[in-house]
């Protein structure tokens, strides 16, 4: 497409030079012609890029949707194997298959959520009146079970009620807690705190470790990026969608998420207005 515009420009200018004597007026016309061509190229490239990106998201969404069926069968079969092999030498292998299937399910859920948001549908939430503190406390218990080598500290103030999609917010806390356990300094705690005031509920997840650069902080919430160059090979190859989805969940609630890193502590804070 760009080559065709280039050929059009060259052809017109050649014909112009053969039939027109160069003057101040003709120079102005040539400038306006080049500006029009440049604008047409820019608009065409933007439209083409948007179309390509749209079809890319449709493909990823269709792929994720089609994979859910066979993956559900794998997870169900793995759960049966876990029950049947308890107390046998094969129990550990069956548990690995089950946990791997559940991780793949979460990755597909993240992929589908990402595709929906990129296609303009936005993050879907179902608001209900709830008390966030105890619900996030339950999610911290799940994080403790999933990361037995990491110590999670949890603290919540009173009156953390509001109109929220508790399931989505728990998903955001799970993503932040998993990242904190994965990238934090070994042997240090991960802190999860829920605080509130009259206007909003604020959830903070913190971990200790090497401080992040300003450039890293700026790109943390971009999709398909990893949070650390020191991550394992498996982590670098996995989809970097967790923090992006945290941002989308906060935005769908009319709130925001921000990250700070100073004095050896990295903090992620989600601010959620109590009502829409």
């Amino acid at each position: 497409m760009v080559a065709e515009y280039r050929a059009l420009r060259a052809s017109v200018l050649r014909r112009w030079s053969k039939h027109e004597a160069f003057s101040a007026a003709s120079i102005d016309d040539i400038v306006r012609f080049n500006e029009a061509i440049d604008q047409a190229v820019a608009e065409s490239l933007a439209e083409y890029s948007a179309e390509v990106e749209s079809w890319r998201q449709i493909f990823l969404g269709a792929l994720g949707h089609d994979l859910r069926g066979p993956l559900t069968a794998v997870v169900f079969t793995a759960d049966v194997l876990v029950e049947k092999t308890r107390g046998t030498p094969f129990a550990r292998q069956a548990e690995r298959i089950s946990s791997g299937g559940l991780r793949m399910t979460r990755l597909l859920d993240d992929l589908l959520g990402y595709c929906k948001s990129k296609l303009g549908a936005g993050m879907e939430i179902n608001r209900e009146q709830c008390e966030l503190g105890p619900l996030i406390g339950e999610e911290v218990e799940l994080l403790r079970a999933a990361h037995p080598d990491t110590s999670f500290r949890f603290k919540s103030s009173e009156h953390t009620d509001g109109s929220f999609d508790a399931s989505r917010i728990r998903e955001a806390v799970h993503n932040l807690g998993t990242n904190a356990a994965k990238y934090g300094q070994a042997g240090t705690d991960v802190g999860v705190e829920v605080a509130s005031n009259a206007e909003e509920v604020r959830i903070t997840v913190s971990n200790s470790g090497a401080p992040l650069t300003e450039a890293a902080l700026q790109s943390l919430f971009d999709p398909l990026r990893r949070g650390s160059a020191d991550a394992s090979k498996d982590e670098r190859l996995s989809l970097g969608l967790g923090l992006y989805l945290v941002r989308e969940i906060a935005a769908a609630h009319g709130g925001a998420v921000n990250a700070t890193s100073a004095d050896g502590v990295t903090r992620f804070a989600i601010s959620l207005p109590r009502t829409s």
Side-chain angles (χ1 to χ4, degrees):
M1 181 184 64
V2 174
E4 289 176 357
Y5 274 113
R6 186 184 299 120
L8 172 63
R9 186 199 307 265
S11 176
V12 170
L13 291 178
R14 284 195 199 98
R15 290 178 176 272
W16 201 327
S17 64
K18 289 179 180 179
H19 297 88
E20 293 287 340
F22 283 100
S23 63
S26 62
I27 293 297
D28 289 340
D29 289 338
I30 290 174
V31 170
R32 285 195 295 271
F33 169 72
N34 280 309
E35 289 175 345
I37 290 292
D38 291 339
Q39 183 176 352
V41 170
E43 292 175 354
S44 298
L45 282 176
E47 183 176 351
Y48 175 79
S49 299
E51 184 74 11
V52 170
E53 180 64 20
S54 175
W55 281 107
R56 180 183 292 118
Q57 302 311 323
I58 291 172
F59 168 76
L60 290 174
L63 176 64
H65 184 271
D66 290 345
L67 286 175
R68 290 180 70 106
L71 182 58
T72 300
V74 171
V75 172
F76 175 77
T77 305
D79 289 342
V80 173
L81 287 175
V82 168
E83 292 298 323
K84 295 293 186 181
T85 58
R86 288 191 188 280
T88 72
F90 305 104
R92 185 172 181 81
Q93 287 84 347
E95 290 173 357
R96 284 180 177 175
I97 295 172
S98 179
S99 62
L102 291 174
R103 173 160 173 75
M104 289 176 65
T105 300
R106 288 194 296 270
L107 286 172
L108 282 181
D109 290 341
D110 287 352
L111 178 61
L112 290 173
Y114 165 73
C115 291
K116 287 181 180 179
S117 66
K118 296 297 284 185
L119 287 170
M123 178 66 67
E124 296 179 2
I125 62 171
N126 298 306
R127 290 180 179 270
E128 291 183 355
Q129 198 69 22
C130 60
E131 188 80 29
L132 277 185
L135 295 173
I136 293 175
E138 293 176 7
E139 193 61 36
V140 171
E141 289 301 320
L142 294 178
L143 285 167
R144 287 172 177 153
H147 304 277
D149 296 331
T150 302
S151 174
F152 286 85
R153 294 178 289 101
F154 175 67
K155 179 181 178 181
S156 176
S157 64
E158 297 180 348
H159 310 300
T160 58
D161 58 293
S163 178
F164 308 111
D165 186 332
S167 177
R168 286 294 192 185
I169 293 172
R170 287 181 63 157
E171 177 186 351
V173 172
H174 185 92
N175 287 344
L176 290 177
T178 298
N179 267 23
K182 186 182 297 181
Y183 299 119
Q185 183 178 346
T188 60
D189 296 345
V190 172
V192 180
E193 183 175 353
V194 186
S196 65
N197 56 39
E199 291 79 28
E200 65 180 21
V201 174
R202 186 177 179 88
I203 305 165
T204 305
V205 178
S206 60
N207 68 297
S208 300
L212 298 177
T213 65
E214 187 62 30
L217 289 172
Q218 292 296 326
S219 63
L220 272 178
F221 299 101
D222 293 344
L224 306 179
R225 295 202 180 196
R226 303 306 306 171
S228 171
D230 299 325
S232 69
K233 179 180 178 181
D234 289 342
E235 290 164 2
R236 289 197 300 270
L237 292 177
S238 65
L239 292 172
L241 297 175
L243 294 180
Y244 171 80
L245 292 175
V246 171
R247 185 184 69 183
E248 292 298 300
I249 291 169
H253 283 83
V257 59
N258 65 78
T260 59
S261 187
D263 301 324
V265 178
T266 299
R267 290 184 177 86
F268 291 85
I270 305 175
S271 301
L272 301 167
R274 287 182 180 272
T275 57
S276 58

